[in-house]
Each structure stands twice: as C-alpha cells, then as structure tokens.
Amino acid sequence: SAAQNWFTQVGYELLQDQDCEFHFNHQVTDVKQDADGVDITILANGELMTVRSDWLIGCDGGSSPTRISQNIGFDGYTF
C-alpha cells in the first residue's frame, strides 16, 4: 500500500509532459465507463462539471469514489 500523496507526486512528475489534465482540489462525485472512455463528474468551487477522457487514474484516497464506482475493493488501510 502506498500513500495518496506519493501517487499524486509520482504521477504528476511522470505525466506532466504528456497530453493530459490534472484536476487538484476537485471532488469526484461519479464515474461512468464505456468502451470508448470515461465520464468523470467532479465538484469544483461549488459547481458540478463532467469531463470526458480516454482513461482515469484514481488517486483519490482510501474511500475513493473512483475505485468504488468500478467495484474495486480496498484491502489496505488509511492514514
């Protein structure tokens, strides 16, 4: 198990030069995946918006809405 802040830092460093977006201080409220990509509903500054992407990396903590939306279990622990 690795801490969320580790994934955030390493992921950002590895992907910052790629064609991708980073959304910090946003709350993921819903994730819907289909054969062509993923729709991510996020809450930012009191407003909901949906982002369409080819893929999503969920580094949103132990009670991750991203992980839960895909029915992926969590056997670890939170700090």
Side-chain angles (χ1 to χ4, degrees):
S1 171
Q4 179 180 353
N5 62 334
W6 181 85
F7 278 111
T8 301
Q9 179 180 349
V10 170
Y12 183 77
E13 289 172 4
L14 290 173
L15 297 171
Q16 66 183 345
D17 295 330
Q18 304 301 312
D19 183 23
C20 60
E21 293 180 27
F22 293 85
H23 294 273
F24 293 102
N25 300 312
H26 289 58
Q27 178 184 352
V28 175
T29 61
D30 192 30
V31 177
K32 290 188 171 83
Q33 181 178 358
D34 60 32
D36 298 318
V38 60
D39 292 311
I40 309 111
T41 304
I42 53 180
L43 179 63
N45 300 319
E47 294 186 31
L48 283 175
M49 65 178 168
T50 300
V51 178
R52 178 77 178 168
S53 181
D54 293 334
W55 45 271
L56 169 67
I57 299 173
C59 299
D60 48 348
S63 48
S64 165
T66 303
R67 179 184 48 74
I68 292 167
S69 74
Q70 301 304 303
N71 296 316
I72 300 170
F74 179 71
D75 296 331
Y77 57 91
T78 60
F79 296 100

